[in-house]
Amino acid sequence: MGLTGMRIVMAVGMLPVLPIFFGVYWFLAGEKDGTQFGVTLWQGAKEQPKVQEIKKKYQKELKIYTLISLVLFLLALLPEHESLIITGMMVWVFFVWIFLLVPFQRANSRMKERKREFLASQPREEHCEEREEILIDVTAAGVVKMKHSRKSIYAGCVFGFLAPAAEVFFYEVWRRPWLPDLWLIECILLSLAGTACLFPLYLKFFERQRIKVFTYNSQVNLQVAEIRRYHLSRFCTSMAWLTGLFNWGILCSFHVPYKWFPWMVEILSLLFGMIVLAEIVRCFKKIEKHSRKYLSQELPAEEDDDKYWICGMIYYNKNDARTFVEPRVGFGFTANMAKPAVKYTMIAAWAVLAVYVFGACGWSILEEFTPVSLAYEDGTLTANHWKKVYQIEQSEIKQAILLEEEPDIRRQRGTGMKTVKKGDFYSDTYRQDFKVCINPQEPPFLMIESSDGGWYLLGGSDGEATRDIVDKIRLEAD
């Protein structure tokens, strides 16, 4: 895959991240359970022109920030080296994730300022004193929760695990020359199948949480909680089956011709991401629609705990015994960062992620910019690329052929960049598997057949040095 192919793959695979982030952050502007932009709404707030202006300003800033992110994406595609493009894309994803949150943080600050102005304008006797307690519906907490069948969601998990089991059979009867080792394919498929198991765990955790206080009417709180459990159960069930189906799609992609493999994975990933996003929106729209029928006629419970929400997103409350709480924006759960275990776990998780992602980027840069060398000393031929790659003794060389042009080879596993090809490749011209370590830009190349039947394609960064090595090998062979 050349630079053009790399740019196309990155554009197809990474650019959809931007509209997905834009859609998610646009969704955050809506009201949720009496809060907006992470701030508890005060009486009459929704009708105030200044509040509406804050929302419009947020949406305008989000569009501008998205446009800037698009320009940065295009700039990240400009380098003439694959490793720099990959690194740029990884940095871009992390940057966009944080950069598009800036308009939300600014809207959160404006909402807090507007709320302070409103409260300061009210008579002092109407002010509500800040409370340290957390509202709990004792009546609702004592009610036995309804049990929902989990057979369907467990069936979806089993469906996902059938893919790695089937691959053991397909690997032998439907094998492609470029396929990686079976254990690597199994690791990928088992990881995806394991992801499906997170959804029943999420449901189990959700059902253990205490019922959220929406109003001072316990029956309404119970009814709304049951609506949420029902729709989340259906969502998690569909997600378990979708993940299993995606796993089977990845399995099939391993058995198509090599040239179609990256495109099939890209298309499957895009479809999966779009369906998941649509399912999330549909689920929470239904929850909001059905909950409104009960909450619209009730007085909402007043639990103003803005001071515990940093930027409206991060919950930090030492007085709350809960480890997880419902977020003010978005869905699911967020952790109480005041808990030492949560704090250190998050730091460790981010550190591991950063090391993994940027370590991979550093490795790709090292691969591309480290020169390939070929040496022949004391009857030993050695191919190096920032470390020893292949070593062949003179006695093991059956024949050595000098090629002025690179043969038609395609990667099975290893590195395939503009300045280095290294690893296991297959040649349709010679119908042979090759162990390769060359710089494609620096011909000629040395094709070696070893005494054990193996074939090597080696080269260095100095064409004349490669010719001298061939002469030495032939001279010693004579």
Side-chain angles (χ1 to χ4, degrees), residues 209-280:
Q209 301 303 300
R210 71 163 183 252
I211 292 176
K212 181 176 174 62
V213 179
F214 297 96
T215 74
Y216 296 107
N217 187 329
S218 297
Q219 293 302 317
V220 171
N221 290 334
L222 284 168
Q223 192 63 43
V224 173
E226 182 56 32
I227 289 172
R228 291 156 71 90
R229 277 198 296 271
Y230 171 74
H231 286 291
L232 284 175
S233 177
R234 294 192 62 180
F235 168 75
C236 289
T237 299
S238 64
M239 286 305 305
W241 280 95
L242 277 172
T243 305
L245 190 61
F246 178 67
N247 207 17
W248 276 94
I250 295 297
L251 180 150
C252 293
S253 68
F254 282 118
H255 298 279
V256 299
Y258 176 74
K259 63 180 180 179
W260 297 112
F261 171 73
W263 298 108
M264 187 170 179
V265 173
E266 292 281 356
I267 291 171
L268 285 171
S269 301
L270 284 175
L271 286 175
F272 181 72
M274 292 170 64
I275 294 173
V276 168
L277 185 62
E279 281 291 301
I280 291 173

Side-chain angles (χ1 to χ4, degrees), residues 21-32 35-39 41 46 51-52 54-60 62 100 103-104 107-108 111 285 288 313 328-330:
F21 279 170
F22 177 80
V24 171
Y25 293 150
W26 188 275
F27 174 74
L28 297 183
E31 180 191 353
K32 179 186 177 183
T35 66
Q36 192 168 17
F37 295 115
V39 178
L41 295 175
K46 290 185 287 187
V51 173
Q52 297 299 321
I54 291 173
K55 182 176 180 179
K56 290 179 181 178
K57 196 166 186 177
Y58 166 77
Q59 293 172 339
K60 181 180 179 181
L62 184 60
L100 292 186
F104 183 90
N108 173 264
M111 285 290 286
K285 286 290 184 182
E288 181 183 1
M313 289 186 170
R328 286 199 161 188
V329 293

Side-chain angles (χ1 to χ4, degrees), residues 48 70 156 169 172 212 278:
Q48 291 185 3
L70 177 60
F169 171 76
E172 298 298 330
K212 181 176 174 62

